[in-house]
Each structure stands twice: as structure tokens, then as C-alpha cells.
Amino acid sequence: MKQKIISLKSRYRENPGWHWLLATIFFFPILPEYVSPFILFIGFIVFKLQWRREGKKAKVGTLGKIMIGFMTLALVSVLWSDTKFSSLATALLWWGMFLVEVMIYNLARTRRKIDRILSTMVVSGAINGFVGAIQIVTYTLYRFDYIPKNLVFVTPFYRNLDKAVYEILPFEISTSMWTSRASGFFSNPNLLATYMIIVFPISIYLFLNAKTKRTKIAYFIFNVLISVGISSTMTRAGCFIAIFGWVFMFVFLAKKYAKPMLQILVPTVCVIIPSILTRYGIIFKTVGEVSGSGSGGAEAKKSSAAHFQIWESLIDYLTNHIRAFFIGHGFGVESTGQVLLNEYGLNKPHAHNFILETWMELGIIGVVLLFVVLFCTFGKMLEINANNGKKFTLVFCVLTSMATYLIFGLTDYIFNSPKQIILLFILLGLAQAISYCYEKTVITDSHTLREVAVRDIENTIHQK
């Protein structure tokens, strides 16, 4: 034991920034929202001191430069924002979360380190899934009078601490805390679902490429726990997207990985389908409080109708207000909530759609900048010559994570908290790191774009 501690200290001294990066990625989804960012800030300071000592300069990469342009617009939008404090705080939060992208791009310069980051994300996700499972199971047992209320595992996990902290703050923080839908270590079921959706495809990649029977079993268990975590949130979009993600991956990976993919399907279907049925009131009808579904799924239907009402209202507003159309009302969701309440009588905090929300905050200019970042991210991944099984599954599963994350963002706002915002920067950092580590054809013109497209199609056919 003593020798292991000495070895650990030695490895830490050799590369302290790397160990802080892993700690940040592991603990960020587990610690409270008001603690996690400080882990990142401390880790970045350690990283910068290490880089300065080694005479290196931290690089941000192509994606980082484009993102800096988007975040600069967010910061400048404070000038015309009617909610200046909210805009400034949100913009600074994005600049803070950007640091993890810089750390990943500079520190994860080997394939082994990329896998280490991915496995750290999956383990953290599995822990959240395990906690979510306990939360929803104990609540269900309580609702059916099998256990007393004091034995229900509190959800969100930091509920009581959150209340105490938010009461001390000089400004009001509004947060909905469900008791009937699990949140894990997150403050909201949808926030937990966001993380679970991202790590679900990554856990499949690690399962498919496990080198030993022991690690294969471990990643299978982690995938089960992540599936349970998705199910425990009772988030309809999250459940449907997780199943879609599996189907999408199966179509492209079936030829080489049909058996392990089907092994993954069993727990995915067994725990996620009942969640969907419960949310719509098809099962557990008599105790609607278990899922928050209401009798016969009335709450779920009402929620869908409210989403459409929000989207229609915001599209109407944007098409009738020139300034908002082009430059928005300023960064941060507070202004969107005010427009919905004052103009349309809807007491909703945000657009429940990351495109519309960005449009409301930064106008069409902000939407274009954000999409440039996203398109370049997908381009970075497609440039890679994924000509063998492991590379193909890595690129494909990370792309699936990014895609499902964004698809989920079409029905809920995915940049609503530090724990959600950092996920975007982790994925951007991974895209740059993977692009650095693997052979690629850089897309510079229509010729190279065509070359990359043909090669990717050939690689896909070969895998199938």
C-alpha cells in the first residue's frame, strides 16, 4: 500500500495537470453546481504553472478559436442586455468552462489518455446512474407504502444543502426540485439525463473494445447503470434518444459487433421502456406521483403542448422584432423568461430548445457562430481515417454522443448550468484531441471534402 502511494505521488509530480484534468472530469458531475467549477479553476492553474515550468504555451486549437469568437459575442452582448448581471455572469461562466477544452487539447495527446478520459466519464456517469436508481426505487416503494418516507433517498442528492446555499446568496436562484423523478447528483432530472445521454454511447465504445473479460464485465455493468440512470429521470426525450442512439450504432456496427451490441440492448430496453410507459401513464396509472406522469400520462401530454406553445411564441417574437432577430436580448436565459412571461403570459424559464434560446440571446449572428463551431467539430471527427475497428467505433461513438446531446437540446435547453455547459467543452476538447492523435486528411477545399467523404463511406462499408 505504501509503495502504491509513493508511486501515485511520483506520477502526479510528473504530470500534475493531467491528474487534475481527470479529477475535474470525474468530480464535476458528482459535486454540487457551486463547488464543481472551483475544481476546474484550481486544475487549470496547476496546468498553467506546469506548462510555464516546462516552457510550453497552451494552445486552443481551431475549435477553440471559433468558440472564443462566440464567447466574445456573448460577453459584448452585456452592452445591450436588459439583464446585464445575468448576461455577464453567464458569459463569464462559459469562459470558465472553456478552460477544460484547453486542458484536454493540450494534455490528452495520446490514444491511451483519450481512453482514460472516456473511461473516467463513464465511471462518473455510472455512479450517477446508481444514485438515480436508488432515488427512484426508494421513492416508488414509498408511494406504494412499502417503506416510510424517511427511508426515501433524497433527490436531488444535495437538495438540503442547495436550499441552504441559495438562501445565503445575495441574488435569487430559481430551481425546480422534483421528488418523483431521479436527479442523481444533479439538481434537475433533465440535467442528469443530458449527461447520461452523452456517456451512454461512450460506454458502448469501451465495452466493445475491452481487452479483458474483467474490463468487459465492468463496462457492461457501467452501461447498465447508465441505462438505469436515464430511465430513473423519467425524461421522455432522454429515453427515446438513448434507444435511438443504440439503434443508430447497431445499424453501422452490426456486422462486426452484432453479439455485444445485442447484449447491451437487453438492459437498455428492460429499464428504459418501462420508464417511457410509466411517464405516459400506461403502467402505474393509479399512482401517478411515482413518475410525475399524472393520470393516464396527462402531465406528459401537457408538457409537450407547453413546449410547442413556447416555440411558437418565440418564433413569433423573433420574426416581429428586428433587433432581437439579429443580435438578441443578451446572453443568459433570464431575458427569454421575461419575454415569455410579459409578452405571452407563459411562466417558463427558457426556450426548451438550444437553437431558439441562442437566437433569443445572441440573435441569428450567435446561432451562425455556434453552428460553425458544431459543424467544424463534426468535420474534425470525419477527417480521421477510421480504417480499423477501434478507431471506427471511437469516432462513431463520440460523434453519436455529440449528436444525441444536440438532439436532446431540441426539446430542452442543454446549456442551463455549469454541469451542462462543461459537457459541450469536454466534447469539443475530445474532438480536437482525437483529431490530433489519429491520422487524418484535413478538409481545406471541395476536393479534400470529397476525398474524406469517399474514404469515410468506404470505411463504413468495410465495417458493415
Side-chain angles (χ1 to χ4, degrees):
M1 184 65 177
K2 184 178 179 181
Q3 193 63 36
K4 286 183 178 180
I5 294 174
I6 294 173
S7 176
L8 182 62
K9 287 181 178 178
S10 176
R11 290 199 302 271
Y12 174 80
R13 291 193 191 100
E14 289 176 5
N15 198 348
W18 168 247
H19 289 84
W20 272 97
L21 173 61
L22 290 180
T24 299
I25 291 173
F26 178 78
F27 285 110
F28 213 101
I30 291 176
L31 295 173
E33 301 272 7
Y34 36 83
V35 176
S36 293
F38 294 101
I39 302 295
L40 171 58
F41 300 153
I42 294 170
F44 187 78
I45 292 171
V46 172
F47 157 69
K48 281 293 289 180
L49 291 174
Q50 176 187 343
W51 244 229
R52 184 180 299 174
R53 187 172 63 250
E54 296 176 4
K56 299 178 181 177
K57 289 186 177 181
K59 300 177 180 179
V60 298
T62 304
L63 296 181
K65 291 174 182 176
I66 302 171
M67 179 53 76
I68 285 174
F70 175 82
M71 295 188 301
T72 299
L73 174 63
L75 200 56
V76 172
S77 74
V78 174
L79 297 175
W80 62 80
S81 173
D82 293 329
T83 56
K84 294 188 184 300
F85 177 79
S86 173
S87 296
L88 179 62
T90 307
L92 292 177
L93 180 61
W94 275 65
W95 279 92
M97 298 305 99
F98 173 68
L99 301 179
V100 78
E101 179 183 343
V102 178
M103 290 179 72
I104 292 173
Y105 181 50
N106 286 271
L107 291 167
R109 289 298 179 100
T110 67
R111 301 175 185 185
R112 185 178 178 183
K113 285 184 175 179
I114 289 170
D115 280 353
R116 188 74 183 278
I117 288 175
L118 296 176
S119 62
T120 301
M121 292 174 67
V122 167
V123 172
S124 186
I127 293 172
N128 263 287
F130 178 71
V131 171
I134 297 175
Q135 289 171 334
I136 198 66
V137 168
T138 54
Y139 182 80
T140 303
L141 291 173
Y142 158 68
R143 292 306 310 173
F144 282 100
D145 298 321
Y146 285 109
I147 63 173
K149 190 173 183 179
N150 64 327
L151 291 182
V152 176
F153 206 65
V154 65
T155 183
F157 186 84
Y158 299 109
R159 171 183 287 267
N160 298 324
L161 180 61
D162 288 347
K163 288 182 177 179
V165 171
Y166 295 155
E167 286 178 2
I168 296 172
L169 295 176
F171 49 87
E172 183 180 352
I173 292 183
S174 176
T175 178
S176 299
M177 297 184 180
W178 283 266
T179 57
S180 56
R181 294 168 56 197
S183 302
F185 292 103
F186 289 74
S187 59
N188 179 298
N190 289 351
L191 270 62
L192 174 60
T194 307
Y195 190 51
M196 297 291 99
I197 286 168
I198 287 174
V199 295
F200 178 74
I202 294 172
S203 70
I204 292 177
Y205 157 73
L206 294 169
F207 173 71
L208 296 178
N209 292 282
K211 294 181 179 179
T212 66
K213 185 177 180 180
R214 183 178 177 182
T215 54
K216 202 171 190 69
I217 292 172
Y219 286 124
F220 178 81
I221 294 171
F222 293 155
N223 181 268
V224 171
L225 290 173
I226 290 166
S227 298
V228 171
I230 295 170
S231 176
S232 70
T233 66
M234 298 290 178
T235 304
R236 292 161 296 148
C239 292
F240 282 119
I241 290 169
I243 294 173
F244 164 78
W246 180 90
V247 172
F248 183 64
M249 287 183 284
F250 182 79
V251 169
F252 287 92
L253 303 177
K255 182 179 178 181
K256 207 165 190 176
Y257 301 101
K259 185 178 178 180
M261 285 298 293
L262 289 173
Q263 290 173 340
I264 287 289
L265 174 65
V266 175
T268 300
V269 170
C270 287
V271 299
I272 292 181
I273 294 296
S275 176
I276 296 172
L277 297 177
T278 301
R279 190 74 199 279
Y280 280 101
I282 297 173
I283 59 178
F284 296 120
K285 290 182 182 179
T286 56
V287 187
E289 296 91 340
V290 172
S291 65
S293 64
S295 176
E299 186 273 340
K301 296 171 186 175
K302 183 179 178 182
S303 175
S304 297
H307 278 51
F308 283 110
Q309 192 175 7
I310 291 169
W311 300 335
E312 289 172 4
S313 299
L314 292 180
I315 291 172
D316 174 75
Y317 185 85
L318 287 164
T319 53
N320 285 283
H321 293 78
I322 298 300
R323 195 195 79 167
F325 183 94
F326 285 105
I327 62 173
H329 280 282
F331 212 44
V333 298
E334 188 176 343
S335 59
T336 304
Q338 290 183 359
V339 167
L340 287 170
L341 182 61
N342 298 332
E343 300 287 333
Y344 299 96
L346 299 174
N347 188 17
K348 301 295 180 181
H350 50 68
H352 286 277
N353 179 292
F354 82 96
I355 300 173
L356 281 176
E357 184 61 47
T358 303
W359 198 351
M360 282 293 295
E361 294 177 12
L362 298 177
I364 198 67
I365 298 173
V367 173
V368 169
L369 278 174
L370 181 59
F371 268 83
V372 169
V373 174
L374 298 178
F375 283 134
C376 288
T377 302
F378 281 98
K380 281 279 182 187
M381 299 299 290
L382 294 174
E383 287 175 348
I384 298 167
N385 184 16
N387 56 358
N388 64 47
K390 183 173 182 180
K391 275 197 287 185
F392 186 82
T393 52
L394 171 63
V395 171
F396 193 76
C397 289
V398 172
L399 279 173
T400 303
S401 286
M402 188 74 174
T404 51
Y405 175 53
L406 297 175
I407 292 171
F408 185 62
L410 297 178
T411 61
D412 194 67
Y413 188 50
I414 50 174
F415 309 136
N416 202 32
S417 76
K419 286 188 176 183
Q420 283 185 306
I421 297 167
I422 197 173
L423 297 177
L424 172 65
F425 290 110
I426 288 174
L427 290 172
L428 296 180
L430 281 171
Q432 292 198 127
I434 293 170
S435 176
Y436 175 86
C437 291
Y438 288 90
E439 177 191 350
K440 59 185 177 295
T441 300
V442 179
I443 300 173
T444 56
D445 50 35
S446 59
H447 174 73
T448 52
L449 175 61
R450 184 167 57 253
E451 182 182 336
V452 166
V454 170
R455 186 199 61 205
D456 288 343
I457 291 171
E458 290 176 349
N459 286 338
T460 303
I461 293 172
H462 176 72
Q463 294 300 320
K464 293 179 71 176

